[in-house]
Amino acid sequence: MTDLGEQERPEPPLAADETATLLGFLEYQRATLAWKCTGLDPEGLTATVGSSQMTLGGLLKHLAYIEADWFSRWLHGRDRQPPWDTVDWKADPDWEWHSAAEDSPEQLLTLWQNAVAHSRSMVADALANGGLEQPARRTWPDGRAPSLRWILCHMIEEYARHNGHADLLRESVDGLTGE
């Protein structure tokens, strides 16, 4: 049974193997983002802090994109799927951030939740067929490929950094604070 903390987030295991620990920390960070973005109306998901244009809706869409990009595109070498496949990324490298204002809270949460569910499936497949050592199918220009271990650590870092932003944004919307 998963140990849930006070915000109903799954606590990472205190003593587990490397895979369970990495996945536990990633799930905790994902649950933190869900906690910070749940229950908000369009105004809440488009609120900004200070001079930043970052929004909680933009974070949801960005992290949905990052999930798809790292686990499907990089790890498994698959082509981009909708809505990412029709974006002119060279002309608009921040498309996911600002286009989120056009989406409803339900659309944004569903997009992110579906991306996370697909990523979980992609990770399970990779673990079953190569483990943490498995290299990504896509490579950097120099030919090197990150391992699944590296990708999981990168995703934990990505969520942790953006969850700090989510803390500030959510507090500015309705005063909700927490770790």
Side-chain angles (χ1 to χ4, degrees):
M1 181 174 175
T2 303
D3 181 29
L4 298 177
E6 64 184 72
Q7 278 79 38
E8 299 298 311
R9 293 176 292 171
E11 293 290 337
L14 293 177
D17 65 20
E18 183 179 16
T19 301
T21 300
L22 288 170
L23 293 175
F25 272 93
L26 181 54
E27 290 301 329
Y28 181 81
Q29 294 299 330
R30 286 171 171 160
T32 298
L33 181 66
W35 170 48
K36 294 297 177 178
C37 294
T38 298
L40 293 175
D41 60 15
E43 289 75 31
L45 285 179
T46 58
T48 61
V49 176
S51 63
S52 174
Q53 296 301 304
M54 187 179 291
T55 67
L56 286 168
L59 277 174
L60 282 172
K61 199 163 189 177
H62 171 70
L63 287 166
Y65 170 66
I66 295 300
E67 290 272 358
D69 202 52
W70 278 107
F71 292 121
S72 185
R73 189 164 177 264
W74 278 85
L75 182 61
H76 287 281
R78 299 191 176 153
D79 291 333
R80 286 186 175 127
Q81 298 296 308
W84 323 117
D85 61 335
T86 59
V87 176
D88 182 350
W89 293 102
K90 288 182 182 175
D92 192 356
D94 292 327
W95 174 84
E96 77 275 27
W97 288 99
H98 59 79
S99 68
E102 302 164 12
D103 302 325
S104 71
E106 294 79 19
Q107 289 171 314
L108 291 166
L109 284 167
T110 298
L111 179 69
W112 176 74
Q113 289 166 340
N114 288 344
V116 167
H118 188 62
S119 292
R120 288 180 181 132
S121 174
M122 299 279 96
V123 169
D125 181 58
L127 287 170
N129 294 301
L132 293 171
E133 308 300 324
Q134 180 175 333
R137 295 221 175 126
R138 290 196 186 268
T139 62
W140 273 279
D142 66 5
R144 293 179 304 139
S147 67
L148 174 57
R149 176 184 289 105
W150 186 95
I151 293 170
L152 287 170
C153 287
H154 175 69
M155 289 299 293
I156 293 165
E157 179 272 334
E158 185 84 19
Y159 271 95
R161 181 166 38 95
H162 287 314
N163 281 336
H165 301 130
D167 282 339
L168 294 172
L169 290 163
R170 183 64 191 247
E171 185 176 8
S172 77
V173 171
D174 62 8
L176 181 68
T177 60
E179 66 178 71

